[in-house]
Amino acid sequence: MSERLQSIIGKRGPIRTVGVVGMGYVGIPAAALFADAPEFDSVVGFQRDSASSGYKVAMLNRGESPLKGEEPGLEELLRKVTDAGKFRCTSDFSEIAGCDAVTLAIQTPFLDPKDLIPDFSALIEGLRNVGRYIAEGTLVVLESTVTPGTTAGMAREILEAESGLTAGKEFCLAHAPERVMVGRLLRNIREHDRIVGGIDDVSTARAVELYRPVLTTGKIISMTATAAEVTKTAENAFRDLQIAAANQLALHCEAIGVNVYDVRAGIDSLKGEGITRAILWPGAGVGGHCLTKDSWHLERGAQVLGGDLWYPHGEKSIFGVARAINEFMPRHMVHLTLEGLKRAGKEPGGATVALLGWAFIQNSDDTRNTPAEPYLAAMEETGAVVRIHDPYVSEYPGIEISQDLVETLTGVDAVVIFTAHRHYFALDPAWMKKISGEEHPVIVDGRNVVDPDLFIQAGFVYKGIGRGDRNDHPIR
Ligand code: SAJ
């Protein structure tokens, strides 16, 4: 234990004022929950006065949430803590000097995962702003998902350089990764177990003091900062891996000529006494903000920042291979579309394709890293004309998205389902064929939404992910 840091903390007393840097979908609910805890006197939200996000400061100070979509309880909580004078937002980072604890929730994307170089520019700016104003005894916590080794490495170096203080001796430093999902932000923070890892025991204990008051059913799981970074990136890498295993199985089933969903149900039936297979679902691809990048953070942690990796040497680990399989799936949707058009006697050049679902996940307007985007680019390269429909998404840079299904489906040669929005489960084959005006329209199902036999009987050419039992059906 660092006696010096311990005595500084002792003199400083319990955490009373909390700063949260980054008013996004992670920082805003965290700030509101800290402000609602009786243990803390006040919370200050810090937001850069940038062209894209500066407007949030005034909104939040009115107790309004700038987040899109439904977040149960968040507006009421923001209004409550703002009216009570326990939360306010500012772009003046010098106020960090008055905070006992400061958390950073800033995005850490990869520009191009191929070179394993993340874009830490926003995080570095945030760390510099924080480092400039922390004092002896401040606790700094990274909530962003970062490459294992970042908290004890780059973050520590920047904070020490800017403050002139030494982490672990004069200020506390920890990592407490966020585990929130859009649509259930407050519930996730309160109910999920919270991984809390300091660069030393004193930092860990101080971070536990910060997070314990906001947990309801969630427990604190403490470990080192680097172990916490590995936990966060690996929990998403494992999910990506499970999805990739289902996708690889789907491709095997297509080659063997069986229905992957029958196989999946069979595998999933093996349960009981600790037995589990936890098989997930094959599909048109993996999008979102988490799974598309966290495996690369884990890879970089082992292959770039880590020591001598026993296996593999200089090639992708199983997590990298999983990413490659999941990134293949939108391309496979192109294969299935082209094969379907060919069976219908059509060339892709000039064919009109209706792409149903632009959001990366069902019944949501979230489009981050949507797998539909690489599909669109590849199909347009073949000369096909693609119309996009999504009931939840009305705009996306450079893309025209319709909410009118009739308009989208009229006169098309092929219909491709990319997202399992509930609207698509009631698609009627006879009606669709009629408005397509085609003898044998094509349907490609990327999410197991339609019943192949109903569409085949209506005269469609059917193709589906993992449907080796139907993909070469006789054309009616
Ligand atoms: N997907 C499949 N097959 C599956 C599950 C998902 O193809 O069996 C696809 C989805 O269509 C989507 C992508 O993968 O395109 C990601 O889906 P997701 O359900 O993993 O949703 P995310 O990306 O929002 O993941 C988040 C993560 N949460 C955090 O990082 C805090 C993840 O850890 C959660 O497990 C996940 O939500 C969840 O379970 O809701």
Side-chain angles (χ1 to χ4, degrees):
M1 296 273 265
S2 154
E3 289 69 33
R4 178 171 159 67
L5 182 56
Q6 190 57 59
S7 71
I8 291 171
I9 297 294
K11 279 196 212 97
R12 191 172 187 123
I15 296 170
R16 286 273 180 251
T17 304
V18 182
V20 177
V21 176
M23 289 289 99
Y25 76 97
V26 176
I28 290 172
L33 287 170
F34 284 136
D36 195 37
E39 289 82 349
F40 306 127
D41 296 342
S42 71
V43 175
V44 185
F46 293 92
Q47 176 55 54
R48 287 184 304 179
D49 189 12
S50 64
S52 57
S53 304
Y55 71 94
K56 294 179 184 175
V57 176
M59 268 189 93
L60 285 161
N61 284 330
R62 292 194 301 270
E64 294 166 24
S65 166
L67 299 180
K68 293 188 300 180
E70 277 299 301
E71 285 302 340
L74 184 59
E75 285 277 358
E76 297 84 332
L77 186 59
L78 276 171
R79 207 170 301 287
K80 174 187 170 192
V81 294
T82 310
D83 293 349
K86 285 201 73 181
F87 170 68
R88 62 187 175 77
C89 190
T90 179
S91 47
D92 177 3
F93 282 78
S94 68
E95 296 202 33
I96 284 172
C99 295
D100 300 315
V102 184
T103 68
L104 290 99
I106 297 170
Q107 290 194 18
T108 55
F110 270 88
L111 291 176
D112 180 351
K114 304 290 172 289
D115 52 20
L116 282 185
I117 298 174
D119 174 8
F120 277 155
S121 53
L123 179 63
I124 289 168
E125 184 188 347
L127 286 163
R128 288 221 169 93
N129 282 332
V130 169
R132 220 164 277 145
Y133 300 107
I134 57 171
E136 278 204 352
T138 309
L139 164 67
V140 180
V141 185
L142 268 66
E143 291 198 356
S144 313
T145 303
V146 289
T147 304
T150 301
T151 302
M154 180 189 80
R156 175 189 194 138
E157 288 152 17
I158 293 172
L159 291 166
E160 291 184 339
E162 292 292 338
S163 65
L165 300 172
T166 305
K169 287 194 173 29
E170 290 155 315
F171 69 92
C172 300
L173 178 57
H175 179 59
E178 54 84 9
R179 285 174 145 180
V180 294
M181 278 146 267
V182 169
R184 39 193 200 244
L185 299 175
L186 290 181
R187 186 154 60 85
N188 285 166
I189 295 175
R190 287 171 167 146
E191 297 176 5
H192 275 165
D193 290 349
R194 192 74 194 233
I195 309 293
V196 177
I199 61 166
D200 55 43
D201 292 344
V202 178
S203 298
T204 301
R206 192 68 163 171
V208 169
E209 180 193 337
L210 175 65
Y211 286 99
R212 194 180 297 287
V214 299
L215 298 184
T216 52
T217 54
K219 293 189 308 305
I220 294 268
I221 301 175
S222 57
M223 55 184 76
T224 67
T226 304
E229 292 165 332
V230 176
T231 302
K232 171 62 188 180
T233 50
E235 70 189 21
N236 281 338
F238 265 75
R239 182 168 175 83
D240 199 51
L241 183 59
Q242 287 174 295
I243 297 168
N247 282 332
Q248 181 65 76
L249 179 63
L251 298 172
H252 278 43
C253 288
E254 286 184 32
I256 297 167
V258 298
N259 176 357
V260 72
Y261 298 99
D262 288 347
V263 172
R264 183 192 176 282
I267 293 169
D268 198 43
S269 71
L270 187 58
K271 294 185 168 47
E273 293 90 47
I275 303 172
T276 173
R277 291 293 181 270
I279 181 167
L280 290 179
W281 297 89
V286 172
H289 179 63
C290 312
L291 275 60
T292 53
K293 69 176 170 50
D294 290 1
S295 302
W296 298 123
H297 277 302
L298 183 62
E299 287 287 89
R300 180 167 179 265
Q303 303 211 19
V304 176
L305 301 185
D308 185 16
L309 181 61
W310 282 99
Y311 181 85
H313 269 292
E315 57 189 85
K316 286 191 190 98
S317 74
I318 191 170
F319 303 116
V321 171
R323 283 277 72 231
I325 294 170
N326 289 337
E327 286 172 357
F328 173 77
M329 298 314 283
R331 296 207 299 277
H332 188 50
M333 290 291 283
V334 173
H335 303 144
L336 294 177
T337 308
L338 297 183
E339 276 194 359
L341 287 169
K342 192 170 168 197
R343 288 204 77 196
K346 300 269 174 64
E347 289 299 318
T352 306
V353 177
L355 195 172
L356 306 189
W358 190 256
F360 86 83
I361 197 156
Q362 63 275 9
N363 309 322
S364 159
D365 67 352
D366 198 334
T367 59
R368 285 175 295 180
N369 299 306
T370 177
E373 193 150 32
Y375 172 86
L376 174 67
M379 279 308 296
E380 287 184 335
E381 261 177 40
T382 69
V385 173
V386 182
R387 291 183 202 154
I388 301 162
H389 175 275
D390 195 299
Y392 298 93
V393 182
S394 50
E395 52 193 47
Y396 189 87
I399 306 265
E400 204 178 304
I401 301 175
S402 166
Q403 277 72 52
D404 180 337
L405 210 45
V406 176
E407 170 195 64
T408 307
L409 295 176
T410 299
V412 293
D413 300 296
V415 180
V416 180
I417 300 174
F418 242 87
T419 313
H421 289 321
R422 55 188 166 77
H423 306 64
Y424 301 143
F425 284 79
L427 288 172
D428 172 62
W431 170 74
M432 283 174 68
K433 182 174 180 216
K434 184 162 175 287
I435 64 169
S436 80
E438 292 297 321
E439 184 58 23
H440 298 298
V442 176
I443 182 149
V444 181
D445 189 353
R447 298 286 179 194
N448 193 30
V449 166
V450 302
D451 177 341
D453 295 333
L454 295 181
F455 278 78
I456 293 166
Q457 280 151 26
F460 277 76
V461 172
Y462 171 89
K463 294 283 181 186
I465 294 276
R467 292 308 299 263
D469 61 323
R470 287 290 184 278
N471 282 347
D472 293 319
H473 66 83
I475 297 177
R476 295 296 176 92

